[in-house]
Amino acid sequence: MIPWSNGSDCMNLPNLKEAGKRTKQKIQFIEEDYTLDDSLKELGMGKKYYVKTYGCQMNVHDSENIKALLEAMSFEEADNFEEADFILLNTCAIRENAHNKMFGFLGRVKHLKETKPHIITAICGCMAQEETVALALMKKYPWVDLVFGTHNIHRLPYLLEKSMANREQEIEVFSKEGEVIENIPVKRDSKYKAWVNIMYGCDKFCTYCIVPYTRGKQRSRKMEFILKEIEDLVQKGYQEVTLLGQNVNAYGKDLENPTTMGELLEQVAKTGIPRIRFMTSHPWDFDDHMIEVISKYENIMPYVHLPLQSGSNRILKLMGRRYTKEKYLELVSKLKEKIPSLALTTDIIVGFPGETEEDFRETLEVVKKCEYDSAFTFIFSPREGTPAAKMEDHIPLEEKNQRLYRLNDLVNEYANKKNQEYLGKVVKVLIEGPSEKGNLMGYTETMKLVNVDGKEDLIGKIVDVEITDVKTWSLDGKAI
Ligand code: 5AD
Ligand code: SF4
């Protein structure tokens, strides 16, 4: 039996309690080549698909797998959802507004389906893993044909075949710790930079976060498979890889022969890929060896995304973050000292239950000390089933909004200050394609977006660019 064809005939609905369980059960590695039954290979012939992706890079990369699976079934990619026969929404559950966006788009799909009833509609990703969402889809959106989760993307061809044959709503979402499945085909969005998963899931259980429930237990890929994938990308001429995981610094701790992120980074650096990035880091697992390796290899980019979440020790404790403001600042000093050209970005949540003005000011103080290159800032959004959702929250929304504005003002001030340092400098930019302004665009080693004056034949190359103008969120320059 091909492991990915192996489903069950009954509905599999998500269960939050199950999803939050962690047992000592061994992780299963499925390492054989991915094959499709012949009957599936032509199922999409003459049909078009449209995949809409919400959320993080992990989802973006999952969609690259999904697209490859659909093309293996002979579907072709549509330019827009109106011309598609199969519409799939790959969803995000991290905050409430991700929910709202997806239900908004679903409304437009419903409208389209009224005129084109043959369209098959599917929902996958993190929202599908939520019990309440799956139930709502069952009760209120019976016209959604297929719902599947983050653990069974590889089963899409089989699920789709079923949906096309019987047109009854099919829900297959597993709430399990998860396995590691190698060799799912991939259709990469870029020819120059690639996402590479190094691990799945998360066991940190920060009290506000839904990810440990939607993505399962932390499971690292074996290093040999990661390196093989990157060596293959080098062969194909790729210039950059981003190593992806919810908490990449914990890479390898769960393997039967444990290893570390520092070790992995060193081996990836030796493949000769010109640029290596990694995200997301958790301050807890950022060890000295990793810092040493980043500073040692020129092809590991001097860019670290290090979520702070809060600068108040009291709130950090309530968040279950396992570090103090002092430890965080100590790590940042060490990083800045050992990697002089470092660019540092972060994530911050305001309005966590019980956050006082004093707590919030402590966050502002840490922002001043760290001088971030930029920050993603959010208002706390209660996620059903997480411990923080049950905490008493007396802060009025207006106050939360005010804190977000104040924080953003400060973040922008430093973003602008950091960018000013680039004026007149020559930096290396990987040119990714045309920019919206009609020039070219690309990113510096430190992840700054640059609009570049230059010829199209530079696309896909790392070139020297002189910075001629500076804005808060981007730089302008000319290729030299
Ligand atoms: N509310 C607001 N922000 C959240 N994040 C994660 N969960 C929540 C939540 N419930 C933010 C964190 C994380 C980023 C990806 O999203 O800052 O680092
Ligand atoms: Fe969520 Fe990141 Fe915390 Fe894991 S480490 S629970 S993904 S915020």
Side-chain angles (χ1 to χ4, degrees):
M1 171 76 83
I2 308 171
W4 32 87
S5 68
N6 189 8
S8 71
D9 281 335
C10 55
M11 286 264 188
N12 281 286
L13 288 166
N15 178 313
L16 206 90
K17 239 190 176 151
E18 282 300 311
K21 273 190 195 158
R22 295 293 184 266
T23 66
K24 294 250 177 288
Q25 210 184 327
K26 271 195 172 171
I27 290 160
Q28 212 193 330
F29 289 84
I30 298 174
E31 295 170 352
E32 48 266 87
D33 287 344
Y34 189 91
T35 51
L36 273 189
D37 284 354
D38 281 343
S39 64
L40 296 172
K41 288 184 184 156
E42 293 185 356
L43 207 67
M45 193 68 85
K47 294 191 170 69
K48 291 195 170 178
Y49 73 85
Y50 183 83
V51 177
K52 184 149 179 81
T53 310
Y54 299 89
C56 64
Q57 284 84 0
M58 198 69 83
N59 261 17
V60 171
H61 188 42
D62 283 350
S63 287
E64 291 183 330
N65 289 130
I66 287 167
K67 289 178 186 182
L69 289 172
L70 291 169
E71 294 192 10
M73 298 172 76
S74 301
F75 279 93
E76 266 180 57
E77 187 159 12
D79 292 331
N80 51 59
F81 80 99
E82 285 94 347
E83 65 175 43
D85 306 281
F86 175 56
I87 300 174
L88 173 68
L89 279 62
N90 187 4
T91 63
C92 167
I94 200 97
R95 285 173 294 276
E96 189 60 31
N97 62 354
H99 271 221
N100 300 343
K101 278 193 216 160
M102 125 70 191
F103 279 112
F105 188 74
L106 204 54
R108 293 171 65 195
V109 176
K110 183 172 190 223
H111 197 63
L112 182 70
K113 213 165 158 160
E114 277 158 14
T115 54
K116 291 180 170 179
H118 78 280
I119 291 175
I120 302 243
T121 313
I123 288 173
C124 69
C126 288
M127 265 176 80
Q129 294 288 147
E130 290 183 278
E131 221 168 298
T132 45
V133 173
L135 290 176
L137 289 169
M138 218 161 99
K139 293 201 179 104
K140 296 193 202 143
Y141 298 79
W143 56 271
V144 170
D145 301 279
L146 173 62
V147 183
F148 62 98
T150 56
H151 294 293
N152 51 346
I153 286 173
H154 54 291
R155 297 233 329 116
L156 171 59
Y158 297 87
L159 296 170
L160 190 49
E161 180 189 36
K162 225 165 154 187
S163 268
M164 286 164 90
N166 64 21
R167 301 304 307 256
E168 272 173 20
Q169 190 177 57
E170 174 79 23
I171 300 186
E172 187 183 280
V173 182
F174 299 112
S175 294
K176 57 180 180 180
E177 294 176 283
E179 55 224 345
V180 173
I181 303 171
E182 294 293 344
N183 302 321
I184 304 180
V186 59
K187 182 194 177 199
R188 298 190 188 273
D189 292 337
S190 164
K191 288 196 287 227
Y192 318 115
K193 54 181 212 177
W195 309 112
V196 174
N197 278 329
I198 62 168
M199 62 204 298
Y200 306 95
C202 181
D203 290 342
K204 283 283 187 276
F205 287 96
C206 301
T207 57
Y208 51 81
C209 187
I210 193 80
V211 169
Y213 306 86
T214 60
R215 292 268 170 186
K217 170 175 167 154
Q218 175 179 313
R219 288 106 67 208
S220 298
R221 283 177 78 194
K222 291 181 192 164
M223 199 185 289
E224 64 201 86
F225 284 93
I226 299 171
L227 294 177
K228 196 167 154 287
E229 184 174 345
I230 296 172
E231 278 155 11
D232 188 47
L233 290 164
V234 173
Q235 287 283 312
K236 289 183 173 138
Y238 275 80
Q239 300 291 311
E240 179 176 310
V241 289
T242 303
L243 311 179
L244 287 182
Q246 302 298 344
N247 172 19
V248 289
N249 308 44
Y251 170 77
K253 293 188 174 176
D254 53 294
L255 285 169
E256 212 165 80
N257 300 315
T259 181
T260 63
M261 183 60 177
E263 186 54 35
L264 175 69
L265 275 174
E266 186 145 32
Q267 295 308 320
V268 175
K270 287 179 182 164
T271 64
I273 186 97
R275 287 182 159 198
I276 301 158
R277 302 188 189 281
F278 54 90
M279 68 188 323
T280 289
S281 293
H282 187 297
W284 173 257
D285 299 296
F286 218 124
D287 62 24
D288 288 351
H289 179 234
M290 200 176 145
I291 301 177
E292 209 178 287
V293 172
I294 300 169
S295 64
K296 180 169 161 193
Y297 288 92
E298 282 202 350
N299 58 346
I300 303 179
M301 296 297 96
Y303 167 68
V304 173
H305 182 69
L306 193 67
L308 166 70
Q309 312 300 6
S310 169
S312 148
N313 287 341
R314 198 178 69 81
I315 297 295
L316 284 170
K317 195 152 192 221
L318 287 173
M319 287 177 161
R321 288 293 286 178
R322 311 174 194 209
Y323 54 83
T324 58
K325 147 176 102 175
E326 290 77 15
K327 279 272 168 228
Y328 183 94
L329 288 169
E330 203 180 294
L331 174 59
V332 167
S333 304
K334 219 186 290 178
L335 282 165
K336 288 192 174 183
E337 183 199 326
K338 301 271 180 209
I339 313 164
S341 56
L342 182 83
L344 185 70
T345 60
T346 198
D347 291 342
I348 298 170
I349 299 175
V350 301
F352 188 81
E355 184 191 64
T356 61
E357 171 63 23
E358 187 47 40
D359 292 317
F360 174 65
R361 283 201 194 150
E362 288 192 55
T363 299
L364 296 181
E365 283 313 307
V366 176
V367 171
K368 284 182 194 158
K369 289 196 173 122
C370 292
E371 304 199 340
Y372 295 109
D373 286 79
S374 86
F376 298 94
T377 56
F378 313 102
I379 290 181
F380 168 73
S381 170
R383 309 316 298 137
E384 206 178 322
T386 62
K390 295 189 207 90
M391 295 180 189
E392 266 187 69
D393 182 6
H394 295 304
I395 317 162
L397 182 61
E398 183 47 36
E399 178 61 34
K400 292 181 186 183
N401 281 325
Q402 283 304 323
R403 286 182 194 170
L404 189 68
Y405 294 142
R406 286 162 64 198
L407 175 61
N408 285 345
D409 278 349
L410 191 65
V411 165
N412 294 355
E413 194 183 310
Y414 285 106
N416 194 285
K417 183 174 157 207
K418 286 274 152 185
N419 276 1
Q420 292 299 337
E421 292 167 12
Y422 283 74
L423 194 62
K425 280 201 179 144
V426 174
V427 288
K428 293 204 177 308
V429 177
L430 168 57
I431 307 288
E432 293 182 16
S435 76
E436 281 170 13
K437 291 181 183 165
N439 289 345
L440 303 173
M441 58 72 66
Y443 287 89
T444 64
E445 298 196 327
T446 50
M447 204 65 177
K448 305 275 178 196
L449 172 64
V450 193
N451 292 299
V452 181
D453 196 0
K455 296 217 180 75
E456 275 204 7
D457 60 356
L458 296 180
I459 294 175
K461 299 194 177 113
I462 295 171
V463 298
D464 283 333
V465 171
E466 185 186 340
I467 301 303
T468 52
D469 198 8
V470 171
K471 310 199 167 78
T472 303
W473 300 120
S474 66
L475 308 172
D476 287 346
K478 60 173 190 284
I480 54 172

